[in-house]
Amino acid sequence: MNGWMGKILHVDLSDSSIREIPTQPYAEKYLGGRGVASRLYWEKVTPRVKAFDPGNRLIFMTGPLLATGAQGAARMCVCGKSPMAYPEGYCYGNMGGHFPAELKKAGWDGIVIDGRASRPTYLLIDNDKVELRDAATLWGKGAYEVEEMLLKAHGDKIRFVTTGVAGENLVRTAVLFGSQLATVTAGFGAVLASKKLKAIAVRGTGSVSVSDPARLKELNRYTLQIKKTASLAVTPRLGMTNHGHVLKEVGQRHCYLCGLTCSKYIYRFGNDPNLEGLRGCQAMEYYLPWIFGHEDEPIKTLFDAPTLANEYSIDTFELQNMVDWLDACYKSGALTEAETGLPLSGIGTREFLEKLLYIIAHREGYGDILAEGLVRVRDKVSEKARTMFPHSTAPIGSHDGVPPRAFIAHALLYPFENRMHPITVHEMGYARMPWQMYQADPKSSPVSPESFLKIAKLFWGSEAAADQTTYEGKAMAARNIQNRTYLRDSLGLCDYTWPITYSLATPDGVGDPDLEGKIFTAVTGIPASELGPYAERIFNMQRFIRVREGHRVPQDDFPPEFNFTEPFSFGIHGGKMVMPGPGARPVDMTGNKLDRNKFTAMLKEYYQLRCWDEKTGLPTKKTLAALGMEDVAIKV
């Protein structure tokens, strides 16, 4: 099996048993990554199982392109029942860095963690040698300290994933933390610790077989040549505050065997050589002192904020929403310092952040409420405090990050995922960036309106998909984006670097929609034409899981109600929301609302494109037979 290692590790912590699951029966239909993980979840996790039950599985799954040398192929899917979901339910996350590739080099396509150990334990994988070890000395330690202890015990080439004290105390928002500052949200850090598993450490010295190494090398050179994209060094929230100048890029993080530029940079804060380190995207901007009126707060607070959260292993997306809500409650009088035990007047200072993180991680006082996550906090506070929750509040992440009222196709992307915002919204959002650069200065980007129309036709199915003033072409665009995203998550490709919709290095600025397929064939020997059926199976598998766990059709296929009733007020960076309109020329979408009738018609068209029954919102028997999924069925 070129691209696959052929076996999945199954560990039952309840009886300390370790066995192998053959990869091929799963991979031949569901590819890898999110596809195989979702299928395993379908088989092994029933709707009755709770997130912290021994019967929940935590599934780590790689894809066939991972660790082959393919550019931007260094990621794995993590899947299980999420304690952050409301109600608890299926979710997935994605991890990069070096742990995923190391697992595959050790000879494993994935790991299924089952049961619960009787005492703190960690899993040690040294190629084919797998053992459970006592983790008494690791328990109670923060993520960075665990990293140091594992490296000391097993050498500096060991790769790991762990969780901090928040995970041990079953804080619903606890993350997994891995080598090279890789994280996974959805509360999977708490799931790991609920099984009394503190960490997984892996060392692999093998390699992945490739069908056509020469062709892969050629495609890698081509990828490096055309993958020239706009920088996200100054992230959206930071950019909105006009404080991007406090950061200086001094390097780039690279995941395993990847030479592409992404959103993970090494920064120098305040031009202070003592404040220099790797930071990634949103985690760097979740706590910005000056937006709470603390311009005089030392820059070290901003520098340390991500590492403070990582040490406890608390989700920074959740923290950002939580701090904003606490600030609104304090200013409105909905919450006081006395009832929360927090120095709310000091929001934006290091003192406040350290106190907040400590009481959440240890479930101390008001932190015990906050540890449940904002969506559940809503049921435990006064009516006045509830009114302070913004529409963007979601169980996992935030609604409206890349808004459906501006990107019409996103009105279909958001409802089909149970984490916000889903990575499906990145494709159009990233392609808009060079188009916007062209509008400001045509010399800065080759992505003219004409180029944007080409991108829309090649990647989204029609030129009409580019025009955000109409619903035409958006159902097909949504389907195409979803299929490509699910394939990417199943192949092991990075969301930031793939797909290459545009290129600042090509004359017309247009990328290559067929490149992933060519790389897949070079690695596996399987024709790229097989990727379409893979995508459909994986997408339908997740659909069945969600419906089995309570997703209602068609009600829950609509975006939140405010999208239809409230005009969109401002853009991603705080100003007007300028989008491609007719002919991909600029139009201001500020003030736009979704049209319910037009959305309903678009949803019906989407069901048709998926070959789903229009009443049940599920694939027909004919569709399932065509995909070889006759064994999957559900009553609605």
Side-chain angles (χ1 to χ4, degrees):
M1 294 176 71
N2 292 317
W4 291 272
M5 306 311 289
K7 57 184 181 178
I8 298 165
L9 178 63
H10 182 276
V11 179
D12 190 332
L13 295 165
S14 295
D15 62 8
S16 300
S17 64
I18 297 170
R19 65 183 181 90
E20 296 178 10
I21 300 172
T23 303
Q24 188 170 6
Y26 293 95
E28 66 185 10
K29 284 189 176 181
Y30 297 98
L31 195 57
R34 201 200 306 191
V36 171
S38 297
R39 176 67 199 205
L40 285 165
Y41 180 95
W42 170 264
E43 293 179 0
K44 299 179 182 299
V45 184
T46 67
R48 294 185 298 277
V49 169
K50 301 297 184 183
F52 297 142
D53 287 351
N56 188 14
R57 271 67 164 185
L58 193 57
I59 304 167
F60 299 79
M61 198 60 55
T62 71
L65 301 189
L66 178 67
T68 63
Q71 288 299 297
R75 303 193 72 87
M76 75 185 329
C77 177
V78 182
C79 175
K81 184 156 286 186
S82 166
M84 281 186 78
Y86 188 74
E88 293 180 351
Y90 161 90
C91 198
Y92 57 88
N94 203 274
M95 172 174 277
H98 284 239
F99 176 83
E102 200 73 14
L103 177 65
K104 199 167 176 186
K105 287 163 57 185
W108 303 97
D109 288 309
I111 311 171
V112 178
I113 304 294
D114 191 5
R116 177 183 293 142
S118 59
R119 63 184 186 277
T121 303
Y122 75 98
L123 178 65
L124 179 62
I125 304 169
D126 187 354
N127 293 312
D128 284 339
K129 183 181 179 182
V130 181
E131 57 183 311
L132 292 166
R133 291 198 172 188
D134 182 77
T137 58
L138 301 179
W139 202 259
K141 302 294 193 298
Y144 290 104
E145 192 171 358
V146 170
E147 177 179 16
E148 291 176 6
M149 295 172 72
L150 289 174
L151 292 173
K152 184 177 180 180
H154 302 293
D156 60 6
K157 292 186 177 181
I158 202 79
R159 306 300 181 217
F160 76 97
V161 63
T162 188
T163 191
V165 174
E168 294 176 11
N169 289 323
L170 304 188
V171 173
R172 289 183 182 271
T173 60
V175 301
L176 294 170
F177 178 84
S179 297
Q180 210 188 20
L181 274 66
T183 58
V184 180
T185 60
F188 289 143
V191 174
L192 185 82
S194 75
K195 297 181 173 299
K196 283 291 187 285
L197 189 65
K198 180 63 175 181
I200 303 171
V202 61
R203 177 75 180 109
T205 57
S207 60
V208 183
S209 64
V210 171
S211 175
D212 191 341
R215 177 59 172 157
L216 177 60
K217 188 177 293 185
E218 176 188 340
L219 290 168
N220 279 339
R221 286 195 295 266
Y222 172 60
T223 302
L224 289 164
Q225 177 187 338
I226 71 166
K227 182 56 183 177
K228 307 295 181 186
T229 54
S231 170
L232 259 183
V234 178
T235 46
R237 184 173 166 93
L238 191 59
M240 286 174 63
T241 67
N242 297 315
H243 280 70
H245 62 276
V246 304
L247 302 177
K248 181 180 180 181
E249 305 160 45
V250 295
Q252 170 80 58
R253 182 192 92 161
H254 292 289
C255 294
Y256 182 78
L257 292 183
C258 180
L260 303 176
T261 300
C262 71
S263 59
K264 307 295 189 295
Y265 291 89
I266 299 170
Y267 293 95
R268 183 175 296 159
F269 285 64
N271 208 26
D272 184 343
N274 295 314
L275 301 180
E276 191 171 292
L278 173 63
R279 296 292 183 269
C281 202
Q282 184 273 343
M284 181 178 63
E285 61 178 10
Y286 83 90
Y287 192 68
L288 304 176
W290 48 82
I291 70 172
F292 302 106
H294 290 279
E295 289 280 355
D296 57 344
E297 182 70 14
I299 197 72
K300 194 174 189 308
T301 297
L302 177 65
F303 177 75
D304 287 342
T307 58
L308 291 170
N310 286 341
E311 179 74 346
Y312 285 118
S313 300
I314 303 176
D315 184 351
T316 55
F317 276 102
E318 180 75 9
L319 284 170
Q320 178 178 314
N321 295 334
M322 187 175 290
V323 171
D324 288 346
W325 173 72
L326 288 170
D327 183 58
C329 285
Y330 176 67
K331 289 175 178 175
S332 69
L335 286 175
T336 67
E337 293 185 337
E339 64 185 301
T340 61
L342 287 165
L344 297 175
S345 58
I347 293 179
T349 65
R350 187 186 189 93
E351 176 195 8
F352 172 82
L353 181 60
E354 289 182 341
K355 178 71 171 179
L356 176 69
L357 295 173
Y358 182 88
I359 67 169
I360 292 174
H362 293 88
R363 284 186 169 270
E364 182 180 285
Y366 202 75
D368 190 42
I369 295 174
L370 298 178
E372 290 295 292
L374 271 185
V375 169
R376 289 174 171 82
V377 167
R378 185 160 26 198
D379 300 329
K380 302 174 184 292
V381 296
S382 68
E383 178 63 29
K384 188 173 183 179
R386 279 196 293 273
T387 63
M388 296 294 108
F389 282 98
H391 288 320
S392 60
T393 303
I396 306 169
S398 265
H399 287 295
D400 223 29
V402 188
R405 289 170 290 179
F407 294 84
I408 302 300
H410 290 183
L412 283 171
L413 299 184
Y414 274 89
F416 285 87
E417 304 297 334
N418 57 348
R419 58 177 303 135
M420 303 296 155
H421 66 261
I423 58 174
T424 44
V425 303
H426 287 162
E427 186 168 317
M428 279 189 165
Y430 287 162
R432 173 180 171 268
M433 291 166 56
W435 172 87
Q436 194 172 27
M437 290 165 56
Y438 181 92
Q439 304 306 314
D441 178 10
K443 294 180 181 179
S444 68
S445 166
V447 184
S448 64
E450 291 74 23
S451 296
F452 198 82
L453 291 174
K454 290 181 184 178
I455 291 169
K457 187 172 183 179
L458 283 171
F459 286 85
W460 307 326
S462 69
E463 289 188 354
D467 181 1
Q468 300 307 314
T469 66
T470 174
Y471 289 70
E472 183 183 354
K474 304 308 183 297
M476 183 178 289
R479 184 201 63 179
N480 290 354
I481 290 169
Q482 288 168 331
N483 282 5
R484 198 156 34 244
T485 300
Y486 281 50
L487 285 174
R488 186 172 64 231
D489 275 5
S490 300
L491 290 167
L493 292 171
C494 171
D495 168 62
Y496 185 82
T497 56
W498 294 96
I500 303 178
T501 54
Y502 75 92
S503 171
L504 301 181
T506 59
D508 62 357
V510 179
D512 188 337
D514 301 318
L515 187 49
E516 297 99 316
K518 294 172 185 175
I519 295 171
F520 172 69
T521 300
V523 169
T524 66
I526 299 172
S529 59
E530 293 294 315
L531 288 176
Y534 273 125
E536 292 292 341
R537 289 188 204 101
I538 298 164
F539 188 84
N540 281 297
M541 188 73 264
Q542 181 170 306
R543 177 69 162 175
F544 272 111
I545 290 170
R546 296 195 67 216
V547 171
R548 184 174 73 173
E549 293 187 349
H551 183 90
R552 300 167 303 165
V553 178
Q555 306 96 301
D556 293 341
D557 289 343
F558 280 68
E561 181 65 15
F562 67 83
N563 288 279
F564 299 100
T565 59
E566 297 186 16
F568 186 64
S569 56
F570 57 84
I572 296 171
H573 291 87
K576 291 182 178 180
M577 192 66 178
V578 178
M579 298 289 294
R585 303 292 171 180
V587 295
D588 182 8
M589 296 294 284
T590 310
N592 188 52
K593 295 185 291 187
L594 289 181
D595 183 293
R596 193 181 306 276
N597 291 332
K598 290 180 179 178
F599 174 82
T600 302
M602 182 173 69
L603 180 62
K604 183 178 180 179
E605 179 188 354
Y606 175 85
Y607 284 173
Q608 292 169 346
L609 288 169
R610 286 285 181 200
C611 298
W612 289 353
D613 184 287
E614 290 181 16
K615 293 182 179 179
T616 66
L618 288 172
T620 63
K621 289 184 178 179
K622 182 179 179 180
T623 300
L624 289 174
L627 294 172
M629 295 179 67
E630 297 95 332
D631 62 332
V632 180
I634 193 170
K635 293 181 180 180
V636 293

